[in-house]
Amino acid sequence: MAGRESLAMSRADLPGRGTEANPPNRYEPWHVELEPDEGDDAYGPPAQPTVLYRDTSRSILAENDSPDVGFRFSLNPYRGCEHGCVYCYARPSHEYLGFSAGLDFERRIMVKENAPELLREALSAPCWEPQVVALSGNTDCYQPIERRLGITRRCLEVFAEFRNPVAAITKSALVARDADLFAELARDGAAHVLFSVTTLDPELARRMEPRAARPDRKLAAMRTLADAGVPVGVMIGPVIPGLTDAEIPRILAAAADAGARSASWVLLRLPKPVDELFEGWLAEHYPERRARVLGRIRETREGRLSDAKFGRRMRGQGEYAGQIAALFAVAARKHGLDRHPAPLSAAAFRRPSRAGEQLSLLWQNAKKRNA
């Protein structure tokens, strides 16, 4: 696959995967299925280590024109996501790279090593109009490998230097590591962090999003950022009809106690081939709920499991979708989370002098030599 070079393999002794299935890529004419060797573990599949690949993209800001999201540009330092959330809507994007949306999405991670340099170049361009950039948006910028590579933190350093506003969304507690940079931006009204919380049930979370942070650790990270002066919010994403929707009031209460100032929600949608992966996951982990959950999803999607149309893909349709929306509205109002977050400001944006840029470059080179 042109433009990709294997960087490293991370430890294989992390918790389990969201799926062991690796369905054929819909855009590739050939599919390889390996026969198990005699030496394979008879009690389960062999270990599947995470493999990192160098992404040679020449630009870093992705432009978005969807009316369903509140940003135009996003930055994703990684493609693929080791969190392994079985329901993830981003899984099909891995097929564009020649990979599978199944296990490949979780263990074959594209790494944009030069993301900070590309970001500096983009923000320095005379044509750049200062505005909010969303960190993540597709895959999580704080997934496990970020702890070692620190690409997201180096991008935040660039945002802080330029004072360009940033809105981050994550399922990871690692975001608390960067409380200092978010707080620096927040002093200019230029930072906001959303925590994606699907459930407060630790066992359900372990099965459904195996390498994302535990629910209690997400809430602890939320409190850390809130105490540092960073505006934080909770996004219940996704709400899974018949499985997690009853938790909405408890999630909002816990988030409010952790310092959240705002809340939102997104309804589950299952584009192909995520629909098959999720159905298989239900059959394995919650067979007694499978028919009920799939039936409820179809109730909100006009008989289907997914609906990509703008204006309704985030909320669904029908009576059951309306009940979810009403439950969320009542609980959000009860806990003071029914207010929209204040718009982020680009008023403090500045382009550093050339001397400052050169000093920053020297500092980055010195860090690399000492690493």
Side-chain angles (χ1 to χ4, degrees), residues 17 47 56 62 78 119 208 219 264 272 321:
R17 299 292 185 180
T56 56
Y78 308 101
L119 176 61
M208 189 165 56
L219 294 171
S264 58
K272 292 188 176 300

Side-chain angles (χ1 to χ4, degrees), residues 39 67 83 94 110 170 179 199 210 245 301 316 338 345 361:
H83 281 162
H94 230 44
M110 303 293 292
T170 183
T199 178
D245 48 324
R301 298 293 187 188
D338 55 339
S345 172
L361 182 60

Side-chain angles (χ1 to χ4, degrees), residues 131-152:
Q131 60 189 284
V132 177
V133 174
L135 266 176
S136 293
N138 193 40
T139 57
D140 204 308
C141 61
Y142 283 102
Q143 59 182 282
I145 196 59
E146 166 63 18
R147 188 177 301 277
R148 177 158 65 91
L149 299 184
I151 297 174
T152 297

Side-chain angles (χ1 to χ4, degrees), residues 239-251:
V239 173
I240 303 176
L243 188 62
T244 66
D245 48 324
E247 290 193 63
I248 289 174
R250 292 197 297 120
I251 293 174

